[in-house]
């Protein structure tokens, strides 16, 4: 199992429309599109930054995890996604070490990536997302 890169940094916002202008037009990142991820009740917009991306996350429902995050903490960095070449092995390693997981098994995220979240308690207070390219 190897770590490839920071795939993206997820930033929770109330409205993608409100913040896309900053990231695309003022900061100058290349906007590569957006999509809805119904399983997570979010809409996501991607902006390319070198080999990585900024992922803007907007809740699509009141009970979305992002809506809860915004209510509690306001907009800001929500998670850091780390790309691996073998998410199952990465999850097994966490499980064996007793590290707290949000997802015990990988599920499908934006761009059909296989993803799983690690609980912030396991990683010093940062919500980490593991992701792997779909095969
Ligand atoms: Zn993400």
């Amino acid at each position: 199992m190897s770590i490839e890169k920071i795939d993206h940094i997820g930033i929770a916002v109330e409205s993608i429309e409100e913040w896309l202008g900053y990231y695309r037009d003022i900061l100058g990142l290349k906007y590569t599109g957006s999509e809805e991820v119904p399983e997570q009740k979010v809409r996501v917009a991607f902006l390319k930054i070198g080999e990585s991306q900024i992922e803007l996350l907007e809740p699509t429902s009141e009970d979305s995890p992002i809506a809860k995050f915004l209510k509690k903490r306001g907009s800001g960095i929500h998670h850091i996604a780390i790309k691996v070449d073998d998410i199952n092995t990465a999850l097994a390693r966490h499980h064996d070490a007793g590290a707290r997981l949000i997802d015990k098994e990988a599920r499908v995220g934006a761009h059909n990536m296989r993803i799983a979240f690690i609980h912030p308690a396991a990683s010093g207070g940062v919500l980490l997302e593991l992701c792997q390219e779909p095969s």
Side-chain angles (χ1 to χ4, degrees):
M1 201 279 294
S2 71
I3 303 284
E4 297 179 359
K5 63 178 184 177
I6 290 179
D7 186 78
H8 61 268
I9 296 173
I11 298 176
V13 293
E14 297 280 357
S15 158
I16 285 173
E17 206 188 334
E18 185 185 350
W19 291 103
L20 190 57
Y22 170 73
Y23 285 96
R24 183 188 54 200
D25 306 329
I26 299 174
L27 188 58
L29 303 181
K30 187 176 167 10
Y31 171 60
T32 59
S34 53
E35 71 179 270
E36 198 167 325
V37 186
E39 298 80 13
Q40 293 166 58
K41 297 173 179 165
V42 289
R43 181 172 301 111
V44 294
F46 290 98
L47 298 117
K48 206 168 151 40
I49 177 161
E51 291 292 300
S52 301
Q53 296 174 97
I54 297 282
E55 176 187 77
L56 299 179
L57 301 145
E58 171 193 292
T60 54
S61 142
E62 280 288 302
D63 60 344
S64 159
I66 295 301
K68 286 174 195 155
F69 178 90
L70 288 168
K71 203 169 273 177
K72 219 162 107 186
R73 319 242 312 245
S75 63
I77 292 181
H78 178 260
H79 66 272
I80 295 176
I82 295 168
K83 193 173 180 192
V84 297
D85 67 354
D86 181 352
I87 196 167
N88 292 335
T89 299
L91 286 171
R93 191 191 286 183
H94 281 74
H95 178 81
D96 292 350
R100 194 161 156 199
L101 295 168
I102 292 173
D103 299 304
K104 291 187 175 68
E105 286 175 15
R107 55 196 167 97
V108 176
H111 292 158
N112 284 319
M113 298 278 275
R114 301 186 64 216
I115 66 159
F117 283 96
I118 311 294
H119 197 280
S123 57
V126 182
L127 177 60
L128 293 180
E129 175 188 344
L130 298 174
C131 61
Q132 180 186 351
E133 212 73 71
S135 46

